[in-house]
């Protein structure tokens, strides 16, 4: 380089290189700016033919865990971007699953209820359902809630983080990516949201226990006691608490 | 004794290399800045590291978005290096001094950002690593400027 510095170099080649780098770089940035999230659905879609409850029920789809013949059925309407839902999912629902669901007393069914003020809630619901396609909804659900602060404040769609979580829970990445970067499950998530609205859900989390709304959703023991009271004390009988 | 001057056969190679590197830095910073302001919806990163870094409190330095600092820094360096390739500018001490100062400040800032990624944010952004490589190469590219500074001293 020292020798070249002494002699100097061809400015023509230099300007050519500068030009090529500039054109390629600006072109790539322009493509990225225009391409963005094309094809990836990040918000609720228009649904037709869902005027009556029966039609909506056909389109809505919960994700269940536990014995389908369990005496207690819990419907959970939740929003991945809601801090209260994170508390519910990790502090209350998790021990409930380990206790009442594992023992066969409760079947828990998850429904999406992305609130309009949460810009990333819908896409995370879709991502979790893409994970569900590979049988790992609950793993993804737990991780997305655990990492809520990481993606929740993103100014843009947190696609890369959602992909990273998929990798963490061990999904087939090709399948997950093509699911996420499409409109897959957009209809179901929208239908779930509409179903919740028809059932009177106004905020999240909203939990129905055999059709009645659970009030003490923010404390495991209180929730369990209320479930026992609502269902004739059948819940918790096996654990004696 | 005859005073040593830079032969004016063409622009110094190190400044041309520095200009190309700084232009790459400008492009990386522009991409990150467009993502920061939401113009680009999704960043191509390979991992979630870029989003983690960009969404962290350290995405701003004293209230200014880090990519904007990068854009201004690389932009100023690019212009200076380009000016240094003009005929007769090889012996200009001011250009040599600005290039050295710019490269050192840029490298120091890069060390700070890399430290944050490694020990505080615990996430690696590939574009930040790319920028760090550019900053490191710029530091190497300005080494001949030290000799130029000495030579130009009367």
């Amino acid at each position: 380089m020292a020798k070249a510095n002494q002699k100097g170099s061809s400015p023509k080649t230099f300007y050519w290189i500068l030009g090529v780098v500039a054109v390629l770089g600006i072109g790539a940035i322009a493509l990225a700016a225009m391409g963005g999230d094309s094809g990836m659905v990040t918000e609720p879609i228009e649904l037709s033919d869902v005027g009556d409850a029966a039609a909506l029920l056909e389109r809505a789809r919960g994700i269940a865990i536990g014995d389908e013949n369990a005496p207690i059925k819990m419907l959970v309407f939740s929003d991945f971007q809601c801090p209260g839902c994170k508390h519910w999912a990790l502090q209350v629902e998790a021990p409930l699953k380990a206790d009442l669901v594992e023992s066969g007393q409760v079947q828990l069914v998850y429904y999406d209820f992305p609130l309009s003020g949460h810009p990333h809630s819908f896409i995370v619901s879709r991502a979790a359902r893409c994970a569900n396609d590979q049988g790992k909804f609950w793993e993804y659900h737990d991780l997305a809630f655990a990492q809520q602060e990481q993606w929740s404040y993103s100014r843009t769609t947190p696609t890369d983080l959602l992909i990273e979580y998929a990798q963490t829970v061990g999904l087939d990445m090709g399948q997950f990516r093509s699911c996420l970067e499409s409109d897959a499950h957009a209809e179901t998530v929208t239908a779930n949201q509409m179903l919740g609205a028809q059932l009177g859900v106004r905020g999240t989390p909203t939990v129905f226990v055999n059709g009645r709304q659970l009030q003490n959703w923010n404390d495991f023991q209180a929730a369990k006691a209320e479930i026992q009271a609502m269902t004739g004390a059948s819940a918790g009988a096996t654990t004696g608490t | 004794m005859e005073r040593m001057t830079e032969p004016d056969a063409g622009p110094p190679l190190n400044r041309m290399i520095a200009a190309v590197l700084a232009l790459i830095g400008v492009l990386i910073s522009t991409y990150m800045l467009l993502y920061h302001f939401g113009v680009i919806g999704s960043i191509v990163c390979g991992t979630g590291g870029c989003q983690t870094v960009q969404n962290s409190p350290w995405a701003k330095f004293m209230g200014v978005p880090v990519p904007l600092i990068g854009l201004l820094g690389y932009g100023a360096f690019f212009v200076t290096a380009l000016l240094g390739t003009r005929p007769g500018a090889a012996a200009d001490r001011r250009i040599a001094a600005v290039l050295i100062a710019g490269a050192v400040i840029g490298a120091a800032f890069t060390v700070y950002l890399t430290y944050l990624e490694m020990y505080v944010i615990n996430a690696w952004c590939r574009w930040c690593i790319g920028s760090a490589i550019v900053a490191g190469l710029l530091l190497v590219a300005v080494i001949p400027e030290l000799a130029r500074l000495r030579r130009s001293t009367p």
Side-chain angles (χ1 to χ4, degrees):
Chain A
M1 185 187 278
K3 196 177 175 187
N5 277 323
Q6 289 292 322
K7 289 183 177 175
S9 311
S10 162
K12 201 174 170 185
T13 315
F14 166 59
Y15 291 124
W16 264 108
I17 293 171
L18 269 189
V20 169
V21 170
V23 168
L24 287 179
I26 291 168
I29 291 171
L31 273 179
M34 287 187 298
D37 299 327
S38 58
M40 184 161 73
V41 177
T42 58
E43 50 192 44
I45 58 172
E46 286 284 324
L47 286 187
S48 55
D49 306 326
V50 285
D52 60 278
L56 186 56
L57 271 173
E58 268 186 30
R59 311 276 280 274
R61 200 160 299 132
I63 294 173
I65 183 169
D67 185 353
E68 61 177 23
N69 298 314
I72 302 168
K73 185 164 265 189
M74 288 177 66
L75 306 187
V76 178
F77 285 86
S78 183
D79 171 328
F80 277 103
Q81 205 171 345
C82 130
C85 298
K86 175 185 176 177
H87 178 80
W88 157 262
L90 303 182
Q91 307 300 325
V92 184
E93 187 185 65
L96 275 176
K97 281 192 286 189
D99 186 346
L100 305 182
V101 175
E102 282 290 314
S103 63
Q105 298 173 79
V106 169
Q107 186 195 34
L108 196 146
V109 189
Y110 180 94
Y111 284 93
D112 315 277
F113 196 79
L115 297 166
S116 56
H118 291 162
H120 306 317
S121 183
F122 190 87
I123 185 67
V124 181
S125 280
R126 280 195 50 242
R129 284 178 174 273
C130 289
N132 185 54
D133 291 344
Q134 300 183 44
K136 295 211 170 176
F137 172 80
W138 293 103
E139 290 89 335
Y140 199 93
H141 162 278
D142 291 352
L143 185 58
F145 272 124
Q147 301 295 338
Q148 191 187 64
E149 283 83 4
Q150 196 179 36
W151 55 264
S152 187
Y153 302 109
S154 176
R155 284 170 291 274
T156 54
T157 307
T159 318
D160 278 1
L161 286 172
L162 299 179
I163 289 170
E164 186 182 289
Y165 302 155
Q167 212 153 18
T168 304
V169 300
L171 299 181
D172 177 314
M173 294 312 295
Q175 191 185 333
F176 179 81
R177 271 175 186 270
S178 43
C179 176
L180 185 68
E181 290 162 4
S182 71
D183 61 352
H185 307 300
E187 188 178 302
T188 307
V189 175
T190 306
N192 285 351
Q193 186 188 39
M194 293 173 78
L195 176 69
Q198 284 207 3
L199 292 174
V201 175
R202 294 288 174 268
T204 53
T206 294
V207 182
F208 295 105
V209 179
N210 286 351
R212 292 167 60 192
Q213 191 171 337
L214 182 74
Q215 301 301 322
N216 297 299
W217 57 264
N218 55 0
D219 177 81
F220 168 61
Q221 291 301 343
K224 189 173 171 180
E226 189 181 340
I227 293 167
Q228 285 175 321
M230 288 163 94
T231 57
S234 61
T238 55
T239 55
T241 52
Chain B
M1 182 188 262
E2 197 176 287
R3 198 172 148 196
M4 285 181 73
T5 54
E6 193 87 39
D8 213 19
L13 179 62
N14 77 300
R15 288 185 183 174
M16 292 194 286
I17 291 171
V20 174
L21 287 170
L23 179 60
I24 293 170
V26 165
L27 292 167
I28 292 174
S29 303
T30 304
Y31 182 59
M32 298 297 283
L33 193 64
L34 290 175
Y35 172 73
H36 183 90
F37 287 127
V39 178
I40 293 174
S42 175
I43 196 160
V44 179
C45 189
T47 67
C50 297
Q51 288 182 341
T52 306
V53 172
Q54 284 286 303
N55 295 332
S56 75
W58 294 275
K60 286 185 178 178
F61 182 76
M62 297 173 76
V64 183
V66 170
L68 181 60
I69 296 172
L71 179 60
L72 295 175
Y74 282 125
F77 198 97
F78 174 70
V79 171
T80 311
L82 212 54
L83 288 175
T85 62
R86 288 174 311 161
D92 193 328
R93 287 182 64 199
R94 290 168 304 176
I95 288 178
V98 171
L99 288 178
I100 292 167
V104 170
I105 293 169
F109 193 55
T110 297
V111 168
Y112 164 72
L113 294 176
T114 307
Y115 165 81
L116 288 178
E117 282 185 90
M118 192 184 291
Y119 295 110
V120 182
I121 309 171
N122 293 314
W124 289 105
C125 165
R126 288 181 185 177
W127 292 104
C128 307
I129 294 169
S131 174
I133 292 170
V134 168
L137 291 174
L138 279 177
L139 201 58
V140 176
V142 300
I143 290 172
E145 300 301 331
L146 291 168
R148 228 166 250 134
L149 260 186
R150 280 197 295 269
R151 270 187 234 149
S152 315
T153 307

